[in-house]
Structure formats: C-alpha cells, structure tokens
Amino acid sequence: MANVFSDLNDVIRAKLDALAISSPTPVQNEVIPKILAGENLLFQSETGTGKTFAYLLPLLEKVEKENDHQKVRIIVLAPTFELASQINSACKSVTDRKTALFIGGAPIKRQIETLKEKPEIVIGTAARLVELIRLKKLKTDGLLAAVFDETDRLIKKEAIEDTSAFRECLLPGTQIIACTATVNRQTKIFFADAENIIMPPEDVLKKRITHWAIYAENRDKIDTLRKFLSAENPQKALIFTSRADQVENIYNKLTYKKVQCTALHAKSDKQKRKAAIDRFRSGKEKILITSDLAARGLDIPDISHIIQMDMPSDEDFFIHRSGRTARAGKTGINVVIGDAFEMRRYAALEKKLGIIVYPKEIHNGKVLSCMDEEEAE
C-alpha cells in the first residue's frame, strides 16, 4: 500500500521525520486522501490510533498551499481545555504556521489581541469561539475547514447548544470534519451531510495492553503503590483514582515517602493544570496522579504504565483509563490495585472484555507472578 504521507509536502514530511513518524496508522491511511479531496467526513477510530494527525496533516497541507497568510484557515473545536491544548501542541509540532488557542475562562481581551497577529489555525472550545465570532473578532470568511474533535462529547446535552451555535457561524462550503472514538445515532444526525468512516477495532485493550492485578486492602493501597513504583520503576506512569479527594491524599503520602510525582486536580485553575500536564508530558515528572474527570481526553505519548487505585463503576472508564497507554502502535501495562470486592469485579470484566489478567505481587522489591512461588524464594 502506498504511504499517504507521500501526498504531503516536504515541510510537513520533514516535521514528521523529526518526530520519528514514518508510517501512517490505518485511520490516517483511510482519512488523509479523503480530506485532501475536500470531502465532509465523520470518522470513528479507537482511542490512541492517530485521529488528530489524520485530520491535521491533510488540512495543514491545504494551508501550506495558501499564499494569503492573513486569514484563519482551520478551526478545530474541542470539548475541553486539555484536549484543545493537546491539539494545539500537535499542530505546532508539524507546522510553522501561526496557531492560536482560545478557551473559556481566559481573558478575552488577550485573545482578541492574539487574533490581531493573524493566526491561520485556531483551536478552542465552542462557547469562546462563538463569542469571538459574534464580536466580529474571529472571521470565518477565509475558512477552509472546521473540525469537531471528540464529537460524542460535543453533542452531549450540556454542550450541544454551543456546538450548534458554532456550526451555524460557518459559511456554506466550509469542509466539515468530525472524529470520535464512538459514533452514535445522535452524532450521525448532527453530521448527516458527512461521509461515515468506521474503522475496524484494533483491539488495543487485548493485543497491546498487558493487564495486571495486585491485591491490597484499602488501607494498604497507597503503600502497595509505593512499593510497586519502586520495584517497577516505570518510564512514565499515570495513576487513576475515582475520588477527586484521593488525588491529594495519594500525592501527599507518596511525596512524604520521597516519591517524586505531580497531581492533576479537576478544581485546579487552568494554569496549574497545564503546568502539571506539561511537566508530565516532557518527562520532567515520571508519575502523574489524577481523577477520571481531570484526565478526560489526555493524550500523552509514551505512558508505559496505567495504575488504577480502584475499579471504576463504569466499564467505559476502565477502557478510557487503560487506553492512555499503548497509543500509536506502542504497548503498555495496566495495573489494578484492588481489594477482594474489586478483584471479583475485575475478574467479571476480564471475562466480558475478553482480556487476560495476570495476578501479581510485590516480593523483595520485585513484581512477581503470584503463581511462581519459586521465583519469590
């Protein structure tokens, strides 16, 4: 099969080479030619399969061909600040064209000043983008395409009003691209004018993630976590807890024991959240503790270990947590540290999802299989 990256210009290909990206993922192979051809698309692909570059690369190819650099050419709509920020970072990694990030909660005057610098790619959240368009500060007359990322969340009850308002601001003929990990009926209706592409599942959960179970009573969980981190020395570990108040508790107990880590709180202001994510992304911090809410949409490369300090009530959360590792063709380890009740639920989920869970224990500073008694002696 021809490498669709060959359809991209030398500038973008050089940027991909610098990121050590040489081969497109299946979704990129499928989507890039269609976007280059100007088609409206709604595409579904599993978490971690390369959706962001699937739409960014062909759209940036179109921007590179434009001679007038005074107009906004692409707008990407994202449901959260974190995702918008990640898309902005991904965009900057493959183009030198000016990008701008516009999210609610930040000073609008500063954002209006940024628009005077003539960004060609704008990424943001719906309410703020609509506000800037209605103020006639963000103009859509030069727009080539609008992207709706994580559409399943953009059209949920609490967000659809802003998403619809944004779509109404687009001029006829603007290319529409939407992507998600799960296409439902409501999504298909909202994007009725777009071709649907449903990528076959890659079974990342089964094929690229190794699942471990470590038994611990509730009172011993954080100490078990500390021992695990010491024994395994993960390259980059993301620790999940269902309860937001436990994030601080885990962070305090680990740092008291001289374990270097950082924490991501849902209630932290955006600057603190961004600083924590940036430290983790860059590798300055190897361990990040978070809740499900705070970590929604996080796409950070090279996470080697996911550690779940409880079994989430919803299996989608388990899949979402696990899917933060083994991204873009890599492998990873997903660990649940749980009590007897949680281990029973984990066993039921193992059967339902068709995964294999390996029981582990920490003995003499090593992570060992519970089955292998000789190894422990």
Side-chain angles (χ1 to χ4, degrees):
M1 183 185 286
N3 186 330
V4 295
F5 288 170
S6 62
D7 295 333
L8 307 173
N9 66 64
D10 293 344
V11 174
I12 295 175
R13 289 210 308 272
K15 297 276 189 184
L16 290 171
D17 286 343
L19 295 170
I21 298 171
S22 57
S23 300
T25 65
V27 69
Q28 290 163 3
N29 252 332
E30 188 75 25
V31 165
I32 287 174
K34 290 180 180 292
I35 293 178
L36 286 173
E39 295 180 30
N40 288 348
L41 280 189
L42 165 61
F43 67 94
Q44 173 187 306
S45 187
E46 287 178 310
T47 295
T49 51
K51 289 192 291 293
T52 305
F53 276 170
Y55 66 73
L56 274 182
L57 296 175
L59 291 179
L60 291 171
E61 172 71 21
K62 292 185 175 194
V63 172
E64 292 289 348
K65 290 177 178 173
E66 295 289 328
N67 294 320
D68 179 1
H69 304 322
Q70 301 299 303
K71 292 185 174 182
V72 175
R73 299 298 183 186
I74 303 167
I75 297 180
V76 182
L77 188 64
T80 64
F81 160 73
E82 278 78 19
L83 182 57
S85 183
Q86 282 167 196
I87 296 165
N88 190 41
S89 298
C91 197
K92 285 176 180 291
S93 72
V94 286
T95 186
D96 294 323
R97 296 299 175 104
K98 189 177 286 294
T99 72
L101 180 64
F102 298 135
I103 44 99
I108 195 166
K109 283 185 179 177
R110 195 177 302 160
Q111 294 178 351
I112 291 169
E113 288 301 310
T114 300
L115 281 167
K116 291 177 183 176
E117 297 169 15
K118 307 294 183 188
E120 291 179 74
I121 302 107
V122 163
I123 298 134
T125 49
R128 179 51 55 93
L129 291 175
V130 169
E131 189 176 2
L132 288 165
I133 291 168
R134 286 176 176 166
L135 287 169
K136 296 187 167 42
K137 301 299 181 183
L138 173 57
K139 295 182 170 63
T140 60
D141 59 322
L143 212 56
L144 299 172
V147 180
F148 297 75
D149 200 327
E150 279 203 13
T151 54
D152 57 329
R153 299 188 65 202
L154 288 171
I155 63 167
K156 278 193 169 173
K157 189 167 62 176
E158 64 272 18
I160 193 164
E161 189 177 331
D162 290 330
T163 304
S164 298
F166 171 74
R167 187 157 188 192
E168 285 164 12
C169 294
L170 303 175
L171 296 176
T174 305
Q175 186 177 9
I176 301 293
I177 296 151
C179 66
T180 180
T182 48
V183 168
N184 56 29
R185 184 170 169 272
Q186 191 182 4
T187 308
K188 287 183 178 180
I189 292 168
F190 192 84
F191 296 101
D193 55 346
E195 180 189 344
N196 290 191
I197 295 176
I198 309 294
M199 296 300 293
E202 294 184 23
D203 281 341
V204 173
L205 205 66
K206 284 191 225 177
K207 294 179 181 174
R208 300 212 300 263
I209 300 174
T210 304
H211 300 274
W212 292 355
I214 298 177
Y215 171 79
E217 292 294 342
N218 205 42
R219 64 179 177 274
D220 300 324
K221 280 188 178 184
I222 298 175
D223 197 46
T224 301
L225 169 66
R226 180 186 62 78
K227 289 175 182 174
F228 176 82
L229 293 170
S230 175
E232 188 71 2
N233 191 22
Q235 174 192 330
K236 198 180 270 191
L238 185 57
I239 299 167
F240 279 100
T241 174
S242 295
R243 287 170 43 202
D245 60 331
Q246 273 293 90
V247 173
E248 189 72 24
N249 188 33
I250 295 166
Y251 172 77
N252 288 338
K253 288 187 175 176
L254 287 183
T255 50
Y256 179 75
K257 292 287 188 176
K258 305 290 190 292
V259 177
Q260 184 73 26
C261 58
T262 190
L264 188 63
H265 305 277
K267 291 181 180 176
S268 297
D269 66 54
K270 289 186 172 69
Q271 281 73 25
K272 285 182 181 174
R273 286 163 64 80
K274 185 177 185 302
I277 292 168
D278 286 349
R279 285 199 305 275
F280 186 57
R281 186 188 301 280
S282 68
K284 288 177 183 172
E285 296 281 4
K286 289 169 59 177
I287 299 164
L288 177 65
I289 307 151
T290 184
S291 65
D292 293 300
L293 181 64
R296 182 72 205 216
L298 268 188
D299 184 5
I300 291 173
D302 304 323
I303 294 176
S304 58
H305 292 68
I306 299 298
I307 305 166
Q308 307 196 35
M309 297 297 288
D310 47 43
M311 279 296 292
S313 55
D314 187 331
E315 75 180 60
D316 285 347
F317 277 119
F318 175 87
I319 294 166
H320 168 76
R321 289 173 172 188
S322 306
R324 301 304 97 196
T325 189
R327 298 176 79 81
K330 295 189 174 159
T331 59
I333 293 171
N334 170 54
V335 187
V336 174
I337 298 177
D339 60 17
F341 174 69
E342 288 167 317
M343 288 296 132
R344 285 196 295 275
R345 288 186 51 222
Y346 197 9
L349 200 57
E350 174 185 26
K351 190 174 179 181
K352 185 174 182 182
L353 297 176
I355 58 177
I356 299 172
V357 175
Y358 299 92
K360 298 284 181 178
E361 60 185 357
I362 303 156
H363 192 81
N364 291 337
K366 292 181 181 177
V367 179
L368 303 174
S369 166
C370 290
M371 315 298 180
D372 200 340
E373 293 178 8
E374 290 179 13
E375 216 178 332
E377 285 175 3

